[in-house]
Amino acid sequence: MSYAASHCGQMMRIVSVKLGPELLASLCHEPVGFYSGELLRTICIVATPAWLRHKRRRKYNKNRSSHEVIELDRVAMRYGDNELFYDASLSLTPGSFHFLTGPSGAGKTTLIRLCYGDLLPTGGNVRLFGDPTVTLGRDALAHARRRIGVVHQDGQFLDHLSVEDNVALPLIVSGQLNAARRSEVRDLLGWVGLSSRRNARPQELSGGEKQRAALARALILSPDVILADEPTGNVDWEMSVRLLKLLLELNRLGKAVLLATHDLSLIRSVRGTVQARVLRLSDRRLGAGGADI
């Protein structure tokens, strides 16, 4: 058995008993490429590794479609007697960018969990790539999740693993980790500016470094959709802009992006840079959050 295969098996045994259900659900998603640019004219980003950029461009062109990748159709969600929202409709198509705003407790995280099948709605339908989540079996749901990258607000790292191994977790869980994919993990860490921190433990990272590591992990399986739950909530303005720029680069490659944020200044900062819808979840309803940008 090769070192890579042996290491992957050992890692799988270690992490299999330590992954929470929400993290495990979101880990089974396929490294999106991006390239450097002057979108916000701030903070230089390392250019995308060539292998990553070319792989994603070929795959996207082959499967390009105008159909919804994630669709919420008059969805309702309640926990016991507490109704978070109802009659919520949302359509994410290739190349679309949506900001999701709203007060704390309105249900933004719940809505995002619905978008990758971690929760089932109590009313209405959620469709992933055309299929209702309520009809998807375990294997079909896992396959759909591989096309969705999730950036959790709190990172949800395993503290006993290095940053590099945390980013590689989706490959470990899906049995895809080998020497070549390990090299891709390191390329991706370089792209988000964490090469020098790859052997560090998550608890040694700053808030901004954790969010960049979380984004790298969300991308390592090359998803078609990025769902980001308040990734800028606990970082300073400069790092918020940097994270947003990474997401904008993804979107320019045709990825659908849904970004939950409470920072209206961040939304205003991209006016004229990207076509995006601004949604607001409040008073149990999902609707327009102001003029689209």
Side-chain angles (χ1 to χ4, degrees):
M1 179 181 293
S2 68
Y3 167 77
S6 175
H7 183 66
C8 182
Q10 181 182 17
M11 289 292 297
M12 189 63 228
R13 289 192 294 273
I14 292 173
V15 304
S16 61
V17 296
K18 292 182 177 290
L19 297 177
E22 183 179 349
L23 177 57
L24 184 60
S26 66
L27 283 180
C28 297
H29 16 277
E30 263 185 42
V32 178
F34 357 94
Y35 43 88
S36 60
E38 279 295 315
L39 293 181
L40 301 182
R41 301 187 181 279
T42 59
I43 308 171
C44 178
I45 302 298
V46 176
T48 314
W51 61 265
L52 192 55
R53 183 172 64 250
H54 295 156
K55 177 190 293 187
R56 284 311 306 157
R57 185 171 295 164
R58 288 196 302 271
K59 182 173 181 179
Y60 178 70
N61 287 341
K62 180 179 178 181
N63 296 319
R64 187 163 184 157
S65 170
S66 61
H67 298 301
E68 293 82 0
V69 290
I70 296 177
E71 183 181 14
L72 276 62
D73 182 16
R74 305 192 70 178
V75 164
M77 192 68 197
R78 67 166 57 243
Y79 293 101
D81 295 331
N82 179 30
E83 183 176 59
L84 277 182
F85 50 81
Y86 67 96
D87 201 31
S89 294
L90 172 65
S91 178
L92 303 183
T93 58
S96 65
F97 199 114
H98 289 75
F99 289 101
L100 176 63
T101 67
S104 297
K108 297 189 296 296
T109 295
T110 295
L111 189 144
I112 285 178
R113 292 177 67 188
L114 286 167
C115 285
Y116 64 91
D118 191 39
L119 295 173
L120 295 178
T122 54
N125 288 295
V126 177
R127 298 182 182 88
L128 304 184
F129 309 98
D131 296 318
T133 54
V134 294
T135 68
L136 293 175
R138 178 178 177 178
D139 291 343
L141 183 57
H143 179 75
R145 283 174 175 163
R146 292 189 187 106
R147 301 174 64 184
I148 303 171
V150 183
V151 183
H152 297 281
Q153 182 176 7
D154 58 1
Q156 296 200 1
F157 297 108
L158 298 183
D159 288 343
H160 65 290
L161 298 181
S162 67
V163 170
E164 181 177 314
D165 284 335
N166 268 284
V167 171
L169 268 178
L171 297 172
I172 297 169
V173 171
S174 59
Q176 300 180 51
L177 185 63
N178 55 35
R181 299 308 296 270
R182 175 68 72 176
S183 178
E184 293 177 0
V185 171
R186 292 174 181 175
D187 284 346
L188 195 54
L189 284 170
W191 180 76
V192 297
L194 291 177
S195 289
S196 64
R197 306 290 278 159
R198 66 185 182 88
N199 292 319
R201 293 293 188 267
Q203 57 268 36
E204 300 171 16
L205 301 182
S206 67
E209 288 172 332
K210 287 180 179 178
Q211 287 304 323
R212 281 181 281 154
L215 179 58
R217 185 180 61 194
L219 302 177
I220 197 60
L221 287 182
S222 224
D224 297 307
V225 189
I226 306 298
L227 307 174
D229 185 10
E230 297 270 10
T232 64
N234 298 309
V235 299
D236 60 27
W237 173 254
E238 182 176 289
M239 185 53 60
S240 295
V241 171
R242 181 170 187 172
L243 289 166
L244 179 57
K245 183 171 182 176
L246 299 180
L247 292 169
L248 290 172
E249 293 286 357
L250 280 170
N251 181 247
R252 288 187 62 178
L253 287 182
K255 306 301 108 189
V257 177
L258 174 62
L259 169 60
T261 181
H262 64 275
D263 192 342
L264 299 182
S265 296
L266 192 66
I267 297 174
R268 287 191 290 267
S269 74
V270 299
R271 188 177 301 276
T273 302
V274 62
Q275 288 188 334
R277 291 201 63 196
V278 182
L279 304 174
R280 180 173 175 81
L281 184 60
S282 64
D283 298 325
R284 299 184 298 151
R285 302 300 297 270
L286 177 67
D292 294 338
I293 60 176

